[in-house]
Amino acid sequence: KELQAVVLKDKKTKITFHNGILTIGGTIIEIVYEDSHIFFDFGSEYNPSASFQPSNLQELLDEKLVPYLNNMYDPSIELKGYKSSEDNFKHTAVFLSHMHLDHSKIINYLNPSVPLYTLEGTKSLLNTLNINDDFLFPLHNKKDSNTREIIGVKENEVIEVGKIKVKVMPVDHDAYGACGLLIKTPDLVISYTGDIRLHGYREEDTLKFCKESENCDVLLIEGVTVSFKDFEDEENENDLCNENDLIKRVNEIVNNNPNKQITFNYYISNIERILNIIKTNPRKVVLDAYYSYVLKEATNYESYYYTLDDKDYGLNPEYEIKFEELLNDESEYMWQLDKNSLKQFNKLKKGGIYIHSNAVPLGPYDPSYEPFVNKFKKHNIEFITVSCSGHAHPKDLIKIINLIKPKLLVPIHSYKPEKLYNEHGERLLPKKNQTI
C-alpha cells in the first residue's frame, strides 16, 4: 500500500523529513512529541561534479544542500535571508548515527546549546579525524578544540530527551562506532537504521537491533545499494560479498606477487578492516602517520608508519619506517599511498601494484576518479580495486525489513527507495520537507 498523506492517525508524534530524500547523504530527520524534539543525522549533501563547492553554512543554505532549521544553528553565525523565530520546545537534542561526512559534516554549525549524542567510538573518531581542522566544516567560535562538544554514550544506552527515549544501538557498517536508533515516544516506536549491513564484522549487532525493533510502528531504513543494483543482479567480482573475503583477496594479491612493490589505500574510518589487514597480511603494513594516529586513538593499536608532514602525532618512534626505504622496497612492506605520498608518485617503482579499497576517490561518479586510475596505468602500476560495501546488499535490506516487520516502512537515503517493499504493513515514500 502506498500512503501519500497522513499516516498513523490519532498520534501526537510528528516526523519531518528535512533532507536526505531521493539522494544518498545529507539525512536530517526531526521527531517531535509535544515540547520535545530530536534530530538525526547532521550531514550535508555532496556533489563532487558541481562547479561550486560550498565552504561555509551560508553557502550550503544558499545552494540548498542543507535546510534551514529554526534555532538549530549556532546563533553567532550571521546568516543573510534567514531568521529564527520562537518555538515551544523545552527539550532538544541531536543524535549522530556515525561519522561518515554525509551524516556528520555540518555538526560544527549546530547551536552549541543543543546536546549532540553518539556512541563513544564515533565521538573519539570525529575528534581525532578533525585534529587538523580539515575533516568537518570548521567551528565558528574556536576555544580549545576544532570540534564542537559531543556527548559519547555507551552501546545500548538510553537517552531521554523530554518525553522521547532514544536507545543508541551498535550496528554493522564500515564506519567505526556506527549505530542505529530505537526511538520511543509516548505513542510510537520508531526504528532508524542509520547505515547498516549484515556482511561485516558486527553482523550480530545488526541482528540484535532488528530483534529489538521488531513490530515497530515506523522503520526508517537506508537503501543505498538498491540505487545501483536490482535484487537479482550478480555481484561485481571486485565488490566482494563480505569483509572476510576482502581480507583473503588482499592477502592473495600479496602472496602472488612476492617481488613487487605493493601500495594501497582505504577509507580512514574503516578501523576493523585495517586492523584485520595488518594482523593477517604476509608483509608489514605501513600507514601514513596521520592514519596510524587515528588507528591508535580508536583502538590503542600501534602500527608501523611513515612521516611526510611536519606534525607530531605522538607516535612511538620504534614503529617508524623511513619513506625512502618504502620507495625502494619490493618484498617486505605493503604501504599506504595517501595524499601526502601521492605527491611523490613518480618515485614509485614501475610495474608495482596499487590496491584501492573503498578509498577516496570513491568511484566513477567522482570526476577525479578516472584521471586517478589513469595515472597508475601510465606509470605501469597495476590498479586493483578490492571493495566491500558498507551497506546491506539488496536482498539483505529485505531480510532486515522482514526481521523487523514494521507497521510502516519509510525507505530513505536512496536514489530508488521505491524498490524496497513491506510485506508486513504499509510503505511511505516521503517527499522532502514532508511531515507525517
Side-chain angles (χ1 to χ4, degrees), residues 327-369:
L327 287 173
N328 293 317
D329 177 71
E330 292 181 332
S331 60
E332 186 176 357
Y333 303 111
M334 183 176 90
W335 55 278
Q336 184 188 8
L337 191 64
D338 79 327
K339 62 181 181 180
N340 287 326
S341 47
L342 275 168
K343 294 173 184 176
Q344 302 192 44
F345 183 84
N346 289 332
K347 295 181 180 179
L348 295 179
K349 288 185 174 293
K350 293 184 178 181
I353 292 173
Y354 168 74
I355 302 171
H356 197 68
S357 177
N358 298 99
V360 177
L362 289 172
Y365 73 91
D366 188 332
S368 65
Y369 183 76

Side-chain angles (χ1 to χ4, degrees), residues 62-74:
D62 292 345
E63 294 293 313
K64 301 190 185 309
L65 293 174
V66 302
Y68 180 74
L69 302 168
N70 190 43
N71 296 325
M72 289 303 296
Y73 294 115
D74 187 338

Side-chain angles (χ1 to χ4, degrees), residues 38 82 91 98 116 187 213 228 259 309 315 324 374 415:
I38 65 169
Y82 301 92
H91 309 280
H98 63 287
L116 171 63
D187 60 13
S213 299
F228 311 104
N259 297 307
D309 59 27
L315 299 173
E324 291 72 20
N374 289 336
Y415 294 125

